[in-house]
Amino acid sequence: MVTTRTGSRTAIPALGHTFGEWAEITPSTCENEGLRQHTCEVCGTIESENLDPHGHDWENDFTVDLEATCTQDGSQSIHCKNCNAVTDSQVIPATGHSYGDWSTTKEASCDTTGSREKVCSACGDTIAEEIPALGHAWNENPTIDKAATCTDSGSQSIHCARCDSTKDNETIPLLGHDWSSTPTVEKVATCIEDGTESTHCTRCDVVKEGSEQVIPKTGHKYGAWKTTKAATEIAAGQKTRTCSVCGHAEKQTIAMLKPTLPAVKITTPIAAKKAATIKWKKVSKANQKKIATIQIQYSLDKTFKTGVKTVTAKRTAASKKITKLKSKKTYYVRVRAYKKSGGAVHVSKWSAVKKVKAK
Ligand SMILES: [Zn+2]
Ligand SMILES: [Zn+2]
Ligand SMILES: [Zn+2]
Ligand SMILES: [Zn+2]
Ligand SMILES: [Zn+2]
Ligand SMILES: [Zn+2]
């Protein structure tokens, strides 16, 4: 017989059971009732009693139930320490991609597009995009592609600072020659040879037509005459002067000195067999003191340039015989006074020339 505690306590005589200790038959959970019983030791009556659910014992911190990704939300909730129940469930928003910096995969040029991409460090997702062509970077000033010269035109254009492209090509007019204001010496004039000079272009050095001119030779620049051989009464002397520029030496004869002794007067010679006696007027006593000897010259040449023979006679003499003459030949004869004093030679003027034909 089983009764409930709230049953018919008033209907049963109050003899009273003698129950033992409660025994837990079904433990209570967070949400369900449990059951306990105890048994009367006398009559074996079993009395049951429900146990109240003990309710959830929640954790303090959230538990992540689903991790959020770059593109999908996750979730978290408060879990019960004792059962699988959860509460306060929350959304964890998607993180979004974590892209790194752009990296160029193909460089753009002036006229071609490039490309670049960036990668999510979390999920590896890649975004690629085009880099537009850069367009030319035209220089502000033109570049001379070919310089103009005196005789040829040149060209210039605007260059791209980045590539080889050009635009606005223009011709640079030829320059024409720039004639120097001072002539260029082609060949230096010397003492004895003319030089030449002409007008050149300062830029290309070409010679201007018809500009060649003669530079007159300078002539020697002689120093003073120097006597190399002094003139005497019987022989000419010589002098020399030297050009200070080229070293050329010019020689000149110094005329013989004027005779200083009294003249000897020749008279008519007397012919003989292959001989002749040359005669003159005897020198006066006073004049004899001034001279040393009488010189007699004879030659077949009336100018006395070739084959000249000279003999002497005493200053007191008035004639001299010359021998070994050629028969039938006309000889020319002349006489003079002669004296040597120290180093100097003194003579008189030659006498007149007489002819004599040897027999
Ligand atoms: Zn009992
Ligand atoms: Zn629980
Ligand atoms: Zn990502
Ligand atoms: Zn370019
Ligand atoms: Zn020129
Ligand atoms: Zn000279």
Side-chain angles (χ1 to χ4, degrees), residues 57-62 78-79 81:
D57 183 8
W58 300 112
E59 302 261 13
N60 290 322
D61 298 321
F62 281 98
I78 300 291
H79 283 220
K81 286 175 187 170

Side-chain angles (χ1 to χ4, degrees), residues 35-76:
L35 180 72
R36 66 175 182 180
Q37 291 178 339
H38 57 181
T39 306
C40 177
E41 292 167 357
V42 178
C43 68
T45 298
I46 296 171
E47 194 176 52
S48 297
E49 192 176 85
N50 288 333
L51 294 170
D52 290 335
H54 52 70
H56 296 296
D57 183 8
W58 300 112
E59 302 261 13
N60 290 322
D61 298 321
F62 281 98
T63 297
V64 173
D65 301 310
L66 177 66
E67 290 275 5
T69 68
C70 295
T71 53
Q72 286 191 319
D73 292 343
S75 63
Q76 64 181 6

Side-chain angles (χ1 to χ4, degrees), residues 147-153 173-178 201-206:
T149 67
C150 295
T151 53
D152 278 324
S153 58
L174 62 84
L175 304 172
H177 295 296
D178 178 27
C201 175
T202 58
R203 212 161 17 235
C204 74
D205 206 36
V206 85

Side-chain angles (χ1 to χ4, degrees), residues 30 56-57 80 82-83 85:
C30 296
H56 296 296
D57 183 8
C80 175
N82 300 315
C83 75

Side-chain angles (χ1 to χ4, degrees), residues 262-270 276-283 294-299 304 317-320 322 331-337 348-356:
V264 180
K265 194 178 178 197
I266 195 164
T267 56
T268 304
I270 296 162
T277 299
I278 312 305
K279 300 181 78 173
W280 59 90
K281 197 177 171 214
K282 189 171 178 176
V283 176
I294 306 289
Q295 276 190 334
I296 304 101
Q297 265 189 357
Y298 58 100
S299 173
F304 291 91
S319 67
K320 175 78 177 183
I322 51 177
Y331 284 85
Y332 299 87
V333 185
R334 61 185 183 179
V335 296
R336 71 179 174 187
S348 67
K349 275 201 279 189
W350 285 110
S351 66
V353 176
K354 293 286 183 186
K355 289 195 279 189
V356 61

Side-chain angles (χ1 to χ4, degrees), residues 12 17 25 69 73 128 143 176 183 243 245 251 267 279 298 306-307 314 334:
I12 298 163
H17 297 294
I25 303 305
T69 68
D73 292 343
T143 299
C243 174
V245 178
K251 286 179 180 152
T267 56
K279 300 181 78 173
Y298 58 100
T306 57
K314 286 183 178 169
R334 61 185 183 179

